[in-house]
Amino acid sequence: MTQDEFIKKYKPYAEKVHQRVGQPVRLTLSQWALETGWGESELAKRSNNLGGIKYSTYSTGTKETRFYKEMGYARYSSLNQFIDDYVRVMNLRYYDNVRKAYDTPGIEDDITELHKSPYAEDTKYDLKLRKIADSIKDKVSEVISPADPEEQAKNMSKDELIKYAAIGLAAVTLINLVQKG
């Protein structure tokens, strides 16, 4: 798969990750490209696992046994199921500093913190990730394309839906107060 094909296929999913956890799209795509060899790994093709996520009892997927039995990777029935588990993993306390880095400009701090986290098993993970991120910088905008609200809602947890409903209600109330004078 070429870089352009990879970006076209997986950018909508990286945008979902951004909407749910705040991770920059370019960082997500770079990480998935590194983990899957630009979508060519058997784990990506057969298990919808773009992140090299290992199976745990908390995973939304099942344990991959046909091809990666000894490694214990998670297998997902769809990319949306993978996204749910990826977001779950990135919300673990081990990644608190990674999520804090999302608030800094660019993705340099994000890469540094991701490299320090348990996610990065390779000692050169940050260098490899930076190289990929730099190679797609001009191809990936951090501007998120507008999502279909119904589709977005399907990808949110019950707590997220309640939170956004409360924000929406507060916004409507504020608009009404401003209009009244």
Side-chain angles (χ1 to χ4, degrees):
M1 184 178 305
T2 68
Q3 271 191 4
D4 290 340
E5 290 168 337
F6 182 89
I7 291 167
K8 183 178 180 182
K9 181 173 183 176
Y10 295 116
K11 186 178 180 203
Y13 297 98
E15 289 176 346
K16 287 180 183 184
V17 169
H18 175 78
Q19 291 164 347
R20 292 178 60 190
V21 77
Q23 184 167 308
V25 172
R26 185 163 56 108
L27 177 65
T28 304
L29 287 171
S30 299
Q31 186 181 19
W32 294 349
L34 177 58
E35 294 286 341
T36 67
W38 294 100
E40 296 299 324
S41 74
E42 290 299 311
L43 190 61
K45 289 178 179 178
R46 296 179 188 258
S47 300
N48 292 310
N49 188 337
L50 304 178
I53 296 176
K54 300 220 171 112
Y55 175 78
S56 79
T57 54
Y58 301 105
S59 292
T60 61
T62 58
K63 190 169 185 177
E64 171 59 82
T65 55
R66 290 187 312 180
F67 304 100
Y68 297 95
K69 186 176 185 177
E70 69 283 353
M71 302 301 288
Y73 288 105
R75 177 183 182 93
Y76 304 100
S77 60
S78 68
L79 286 171
N80 282 326
Q81 187 184 34
F82 162 74
I83 297 302
D84 288 343
D85 208 31
Y86 182 83
V87 167
R88 178 194 63 80
V89 168
M90 295 312 294
N91 274 316
L92 294 172
R93 65 179 172 80
Y94 312 117
Y95 305 103
D96 286 348
N97 289 335
V98 177
R99 289 190 312 278
K100 287 177 190 171
Y102 299 159
D103 295 331
T104 62
I107 65 169
E108 286 301 312
D109 292 341
D110 308 2
I111 291 173
T112 299
E113 291 303 326
L114 192 58
H115 177 70
K116 293 177 188 176
S117 77
Y119 205 106
E121 296 175 348
D122 182 340
T123 58
K124 295 184 179 181
Y125 195 80
D126 58 335
L127 301 174
K128 294 175 181 178
L129 202 54
R130 275 190 185 90
K131 184 176 180 178
I132 293 171
D134 288 345
S135 77
I136 65 171
K137 187 175 188 171
D138 295 332
K139 297 178 181 183
V140 178
S141 166
E142 286 304 322
V143 177
I144 306 302
S145 43
D148 173 13
E150 189 175 314
E151 185 62 31
Q152 225 175 343
K154 288 179 190 174
N155 294 313
M156 290 184 185
S157 68
K158 183 179 177 183
D159 290 339
E160 288 173 312
L161 287 169
I162 291 169
K163 177 179 125 183
Y164 286 109
I167 291 169
L169 182 60
V172 169
T173 303
L174 183 61
I175 290 168
N176 287 337
L177 287 172
V178 168
Q179 287 176 345
K180 288 181 182 176

